[in-house]
Amino acid sequence: MNKIKKLSLTSKVLIGMGLGIAVGLFINLTGVNVKGGFVNTYVVDGLFYVMGKLFINALKMLVVPLVFFSLLSGVCGIGHLNVLGRVGTKAFVLYILTTAIAIAVAITIAATFDIGQGMNLVADTTFTAQAAPPLTDVIINIIPSNPIEAMAQGDMLPLIFFTVLLGVCIVMVGTKAKDIVAGIEVANEIMMKMVMIVMVVAPYAVFALIAKSMAELGIELLSHLAGYVLVLVSALMVHLFFTLMIILKIFSGLSPRMFLRKIKEAQIFAFSTASSNATIPVTLRAVTEKMGVNNAVASFTIPLGATINMDGTAIMQGVASVFIANIYGVDLGITGYLTVIMMSVLASIGTAGVPGVGLIMLSMVFYQVGLPVEGIGLILGVDRLMDMIRTAVNISGDAVVTAIVAKSEQELDQKTYDDPHAGTFAQE
């Protein structure tokens, strides 16, 4: 019993994930998950669904107040406007760079393997596409006409703009605002305590989320789209374990092995929730407590990354574009591929980090390069699983950029980063 109690939260979550995969596959392979049946109604769509949904709602409940107070605390903590501008510029450039590299790598891998060539699939699922919003609307919507409404709707980009502007003004007021700054820091601490409370039930929620996904997806569905799935997963892994780690090493000199060890818990949560926004609390704690990044920097770069950095989603768009183009016999050519890269980078800036948003972005890309949008129906079946994997890659990119920026600003504690046991997560 004592050994079980001493298990770290990461270990408990991994156990929950493993049990979830086993139970979900058992339910799927035995055929008991029949629509309307007892297991489907009361276990998969009942118990598992409710447990998972409650946990995701709890994480989402924290996102807006956590982003608001942590970002505000971060801006006030940085203190000097020229430093804030430097940190913001570095983060933005690196996020755009990693996204562009991600989709270029994905297109290269997908084109090399020529996935979808010669296939004659017929989409049995329809997908209602959304036209890409005009660039003018994307720019205009960055500034909220009503910041309270932006908070209520969870619109991250307008929320970030308002919060940063408010923080800048507080810094400009100077010593007169010291009591407000102290109050913001306390509020931020309170939000982190709330995160700790929610994390206590995480292993059970992860079990429910994974079990439900595996019970519904199973192995048979994956076999129908094996080429697409294998190439997409390969591209995601190449970007995570090679591209991002090379970027981390070149720009910061930090150990990639230590980074991967310390980000794994956040990756598990990203995989389980398929939401970059919902994973913000866990990612924040990973980079500050385990990697030693100053909270002032992390509180600024992590929420920003969850909003504009979509490496995993960009990779999916590159692979899917090649896959659908080959199926329908469309030759994209160099111009088409460059357009896909440009559109994916632009689309990632104004897109929320929530489950399923990748398909909306993909429809915009397809419109732009002339691919049949109904082709998205072919990959709908496996998109939930792919969404989980690419979200883990997304938050890893957020953490890499945060570590690089913090190191360049001397805002990273090297001793904490090098200590494999640094940082505590609830019961860890």
Side-chain angles (χ1 to χ4, degrees):
M1 284 294 291
N2 288 333
K3 284 186 177 180
I4 294 175
K5 286 181 181 177
K6 287 180 181 177
L7 277 176
S8 68
L9 184 63
T10 305
S11 300
K12 291 178 180 178
V13 170
L14 282 171
I15 292 169
M17 176 184 279
L19 289 173
I21 292 171
V23 171
L25 281 177
F26 175 79
I27 291 172
N28 181 274
L29 295 174
T30 54
V32 295
N33 191 30
V34 181
K35 200 73 177 172
F38 178 85
V39 173
N40 177 264
T41 304
Y42 296 102
V43 180
V44 177
D45 288 342
L47 180 64
F48 292 166
Y49 174 75
V50 171
M51 284 175 64
K53 199 69 176 173
L54 284 173
F55 179 68
I56 290 177
N57 283 352
L59 285 174
K60 287 182 176 178
M61 171 186 72
L62 300 174
V63 168
V64 170
L66 181 65
V67 167
F68 179 74
F69 286 116
S70 68
L71 195 55
L72 207 52
S73 175
V75 173
C76 295
I78 290 173
H80 301 288
L81 297 184
N82 60 334
V83 177
L84 178 65
R86 200 165 63 233
V87 168
T89 302
K90 286 179 183 178
F92 183 80
V93 170
L94 282 169
Y95 282 139
I96 298 303
L97 175 66
T98 57
T99 302
I101 292 173
I103 191 169
V105 168
I107 289 176
T108 301
I109 293 173
T112 301
F113 286 94
D114 224 10
I115 53 167
Q117 196 68 257
M119 293 176 66
N120 295 306
L121 297 179
V122 179
D124 56 0
T125 313
T126 57
F127 178 79
T128 305
Q130 294 188 9
L135 184 60
T136 50
D137 286 357
V138 173
I139 295 171
I140 290 169
N141 290 334
I142 290 174
I143 301 179
S145 57
N146 185 343
I148 306 302
E149 183 184 11
M151 290 181 184
Q153 294 180 351
D155 292 337
M156 298 305 292
L157 213 54
L159 171 60
I160 288 172
F161 178 88
F162 172 76
T163 307
V164 170
L165 182 61
L166 179 60
V168 167
C169 293
I170 291 173
V171 171
M172 290 174 71
V173 169
T175 54
K176 290 181 183 178
K178 64 180 181 180
D179 291 337
I180 292 177
V181 173
I184 291 167
E185 289 174 356
V186 172
N188 189 42
E189 233 176 281
I190 292 170
M191 290 309 304
M192 294 312 294
K193 292 292 181 186
M194 288 184 71
V195 171
M196 288 176 65
I197 292 171
V198 172
M199 289 301 111
V200 172
V201 300
Y204 312 100
V206 167
F207 164 79
L209 287 163
I210 298 297
K212 184 178 188 301
S213 292
M214 295 311 298
E216 292 174 343
L217 289 174
I219 297 173
E220 186 180 350
L221 181 63
L222 298 180
S223 65
H224 290 305
L225 296 168
Y228 169 75
V229 170
L230 286 173
V231 170
L232 178 51
V233 172
S234 298
L236 288 166
M237 294 303 102
V238 166
H239 184 68
L240 173 59
F241 292 110
F242 292 96
T243 310
L244 285 177
M245 294 306 100
I246 290 170
I247 290 172
L248 177 70
K249 190 67 178 176
I250 290 174
F251 286 98
S252 71
L254 295 171
S255 165
R257 181 178 294 182
M258 190 61 72
F259 174 87
L260 290 170
R261 175 172 182 159
K262 299 198 170 196
I263 197 62
K264 66 181 178 182
E265 187 166 272
Q267 290 173 335
I268 293 167
F269 279 99
F271 181 84
S272 304
T273 61
S275 170
S276 298
N277 284 349
T279 314
I280 286 174
V282 191
T283 312
L284 261 176
R285 296 198 64 187
V287 296
T288 54
E289 295 188 14
K290 288 184 176 267
M291 297 185 194
V293 174
N294 189 307
N295 188 63
V297 173
S299 297
F300 181 83
T301 57
I302 292 298
L304 181 66
T307 306
I308 70 170
N309 184 48
M310 299 282 175
D311 292 357
T313 306
I315 288 171
M316 180 274 285
Q317 290 166 1
V319 174
S321 296
V322 175
F323 181 63
I324 299 302
N326 284 342
I327 285 177
Y328 286 94
V330 178
D331 183 16
L332 289 176
I334 298 298
T335 304
Y337 290 142
L338 289 175
T339 304
V340 170
I341 293 173
M342 184 184 70
M343 278 296 297
S344 297
V345 171
L346 290 175
S348 70
I349 294 174
T351 310
V354 295
V357 75
L359 292 176
I360 306 300
M361 293 170 63
L362 186 60
S363 69
M364 297 176 186
V365 173
F366 277 19
Y367 263 123
Q368 196 68 30
V369 295
L371 288 174
V373 179
E374 59 269 20
I376 294 176
L378 296 171
I379 60 174
L380 269 178
V382 294
D383 188 68
R384 172 62 185 180
L385 179 59
M386 296 298 98
D387 198 9
M388 295 159 77
I389 299 172
R390 63 180 179 254
T391 304
V393 175
N394 285 344
I395 66 98
S396 300
D398 299 345
V400 165
V401 170
T402 297
I404 292 171
V405 172
K407 185 71 190 300
S408 70
E409 294 290 325
Q410 284 82 50
E411 295 291 347
L412 183 143
D413 185 349
Q414 191 69 48
K415 285 184 179 178
T416 303
Y417 187 92
D418 293 335
D419 181 2
H421 306 294
T424 56
F425 274 82
Q427 300 144 19
E428 202 168 3

PDB file of all heavy atoms in Angstrom, residues 342-356:
ATOM      1  N   MET A 342       2.110  27.922 -46.328  1.00  0.00           N
ATOM      2  CA  MET A 342       1.750  29.290 -45.963  1.00  0.00           C
ATOM      3  C   MET A 342       0.381  29.346 -45.282  1.00  0.00           C
ATOM      4  O   MET A 342       0.203  29.985 -44.244  1.00  0.00           O
ATOM      5  CB  MET A 342       1.737  30.180 -47.207  1.00  0.00           C
ATOM      6  CG  MET A 342       1.453  31.642 -46.897  1.00  0.00           C
ATOM      7  SD  MET A 342       1.330  32.640 -48.400  1.00  0.00           S
ATOM      8  CE  MET A 342      -0.228  32.043 -49.080  1.00  0.00           C
ATOM      9  N   MET A 343      -0.612  28.652 -45.848  1.00  0.00           N
ATOM     10  CA  MET A 343      -1.955  28.646 -45.283  1.00  0.00           C
ATOM     11  C   MET A 343      -1.986  28.019 -43.895  1.00  0.00           C
ATOM     12  O   MET A 343      -2.680  28.496 -42.991  1.00  0.00           O
ATOM     13  CB  MET A 343      -2.920  27.884 -46.203  1.00  0.00           C
ATOM     14  CG  MET A 343      -3.459  28.695 -47.359  1.00  0.00           C
ATOM     15  SD  MET A 343      -4.481  30.087 -46.808  1.00  0.00           S
ATOM     16  CE  MET A 343      -5.826  29.212 -45.987  1.00  0.00           C
ATOM     17  N   SER A 344      -1.238  26.956 -43.710  1.00  0.00           N
ATOM     18  CA  SER A 344      -1.221  26.272 -42.414  1.00  0.00           C
ATOM     19  C   SER A 344      -0.625  27.153 -41.332  1.00  0.00           C
ATOM     20  O   SER A 344      -1.117  27.192 -40.197  1.00  0.00           O
ATOM     21  CB  SER A 344      -0.427  24.970 -42.515  1.00  0.00           C
ATOM     22  OG  SER A 344      -1.042  24.084 -43.423  1.00  0.00           O
ATOM     23  N   VAL A 345       0.442  27.874 -41.682  1.00  0.00           N
ATOM     24  CA  VAL A 345       1.074  28.778 -40.721  1.00  0.00           C
ATOM     25  C   VAL A 345       0.121  29.912 -40.353  1.00  0.00           C
ATOM     26  O   VAL A 345      -0.056  30.241 -39.174  1.00  0.00           O
ATOM     27  CB  VAL A 345       2.394  29.347 -41.289  1.00  0.00           C
ATOM     28  CG1 VAL A 345       2.934  30.447 -40.381  1.00  0.00           C
ATOM     29  CG2 VAL A 345       3.423  28.240 -41.437  1.00  0.00           C
ATOM     30  N   LEU A 346      -0.534  30.503 -41.362  1.00  0.00           N
ATOM     31  CA  LEU A 346      -1.468  31.597 -41.105  1.00  0.00           C
ATOM     32  C   LEU A 346      -2.682  31.126 -40.313  1.00  0.00           C
ATOM     33  O   LEU A 346      -3.135  31.804 -39.384  1.00  0.00           O
ATOM     34  CB  LEU A 346      -1.931  32.226 -42.435  1.00  0.00           C
ATOM     35  CG  LEU A 346      -0.883  33.036 -43.203  1.00  0.00           C
ATOM     36  CD1 LEU A 346      -1.448  33.494 -44.540  1.00  0.00           C
ATOM     37  CD2 LEU A 346      -0.446  34.248 -42.382  1.00  0.00           C
ATOM     38  N   ALA A 347      -3.204  29.952 -40.670  1.00  0.00           N
ATOM     39  CA  ALA A 347      -4.395  29.437 -39.992  1.00  0.00           C
ATOM     40  C   ALA A 347      -4.113  29.118 -38.530  1.00  0.00           C
ATOM     41  O   ALA A 347      -4.986  29.264 -37.673  1.00  0.00           O
ATOM     42  CB  ALA A 347      -4.909  28.186 -40.704  1.00  0.00           C
ATOM     43  N   SER A 348      -2.890  28.695 -38.235  1.00  0.00           N
ATOM     44  CA  SER A 348      -2.562  28.312 -36.857  1.00  0.00           C
ATOM     45  C   SER A 348      -2.567  29.498 -35.906  1.00  0.00           C
ATOM     46  O   SER A 348      -2.780  29.348 -34.709  1.00  0.00           O
ATOM     47  CB  SER A 348      -1.186  27.626 -36.809  1.00  0.00           C
ATOM     48  OG  SER A 348      -0.160  28.557 -37.061  1.00  0.00           O
ATOM     49  N   ILE A 349      -2.347  30.702 -36.444  1.00  0.00           N
ATOM     50  CA  ILE A 349      -2.238  31.883 -35.584  1.00  0.00           C
ATOM     51  C   ILE A 349      -3.561  32.216 -34.908  1.00  0.00           C
ATOM     52  O   ILE A 349      -3.603  32.537 -33.725  1.00  0.00           O
ATOM     53  CB  ILE A 349      -1.732  33.099 -36.397  1.00  0.00           C
ATOM     54  CG1 ILE A 349      -0.297  32.838 -36.870  1.00  0.00           C
ATOM     55  CG2 ILE A 349      -1.779  34.381 -35.571  1.00  0.00           C
ATOM     56  CD1 ILE A 349       0.256  33.891 -37.798  1.00  0.00           C
ATOM     57  N   GLY A 350      -4.662  32.115 -35.646  1.00  0.00           N
ATOM     58  CA  GLY A 350      -5.935  32.537 -35.075  1.00  0.00           C
ATOM     59  C   GLY A 350      -6.874  31.408 -34.729  1.00  0.00           C
ATOM     60  O   GLY A 350      -8.075  31.604 -34.654  1.00  0.00           O
ATOM     61  N   THR A 351      -6.347  30.201 -34.506  1.00  0.00           N
ATOM     62  CA  THR A 351      -7.210  29.048 -34.251  1.00  0.00           C
ATOM     63  C   THR A 351      -7.091  28.596 -32.805  1.00  0.00           C
ATOM     64  O   THR A 351      -5.991  28.504 -32.271  1.00  0.00           O
ATOM     65  CB  THR A 351      -6.836  27.878 -35.180  1.00  0.00           C
ATOM     66  OG1 THR A 351      -6.768  28.368 -36.517  1.00  0.00           O
ATOM     67  CG2 THR A 351      -7.879  26.773 -35.109  1.00  0.00           C
ATOM     68  N   ALA A 352      -8.237  28.311 -32.191  1.00  0.00           N
ATOM     69  CA  ALA A 352      -8.248  27.887 -30.792  1.00  0.00           C
ATOM     70  C   ALA A 352      -7.661  26.495 -30.631  1.00  0.00           C
ATOM     71  O   ALA A 352      -7.801  25.649 -31.508  1.00  0.00           O
ATOM     72  CB  ALA A 352      -9.685  27.909 -30.259  1.00  0.00           C
ATOM     73  N   GLY A 353      -7.009  26.270 -29.491  1.00  0.00           N
ATOM     74  CA  GLY A 353      -6.417  24.963 -29.214  1.00  0.00           C
ATOM     75  C   GLY A 353      -7.394  24.020 -28.553  1.00  0.00           C
ATOM     76  O   GLY A 353      -7.242  23.663 -27.384  1.00  0.00           O
ATOM     77  N   VAL A 354      -8.422  23.626 -29.295  1.00  0.00           N
ATOM     78  CA  VAL A 354      -9.462  22.740 -28.752  1.00  0.00           C
ATOM     79  C   VAL A 354      -9.600  21.509 -29.646  1.00  0.00           C
ATOM     80  O   VAL A 354      -9.189  21.525 -30.810  1.00  0.00           O
ATOM     81  CB  VAL A 354     -10.828  23.469 -28.656  1.00  0.00           C
ATOM     82  CG1 VAL A 354     -10.757  24.600 -27.659  1.00  0.00           C
ATOM     83  CG2 VAL A 354     -11.260  24.009 -30.029  1.00  0.00           C
ATOM     84  N   PRO A 355     -10.186  20.404 -29.116  1.00  0.00           N
ATOM     85  CA  PRO A 355     -10.312  19.178 -29.906  1.00  0.00           C
ATOM     86  C   PRO A 355     -11.059  19.390 -31.219  1.00  0.00           C
ATOM     87  O   PRO A 355     -12.071  20.092 -31.260  1.00  0.00           O
ATOM     88  CB  PRO A 355     -11.104  18.248 -28.976  1.00  0.00           C
ATOM     89  CG  PRO A 355     -10.811  18.749 -27.610  1.00  0.00           C
ATOM     90  CD  PRO A 355     -10.687  20.238 -27.749  1.00  0.00           C
ATOM     91  N   GLY A 356     -10.559  18.793 -32.295  1.00  0.00           N
ATOM     92  CA  GLY A 356     -11.255  18.796 -33.579  1.00  0.00           C
ATOM     93  C   GLY A 356     -11.023  20.011 -34.442  1.00  0.00           C
ATOM     94  O   GLY A 356     -11.448  20.053 -35.598  1.00  0.00           O
TER      95      GLY A 356
END
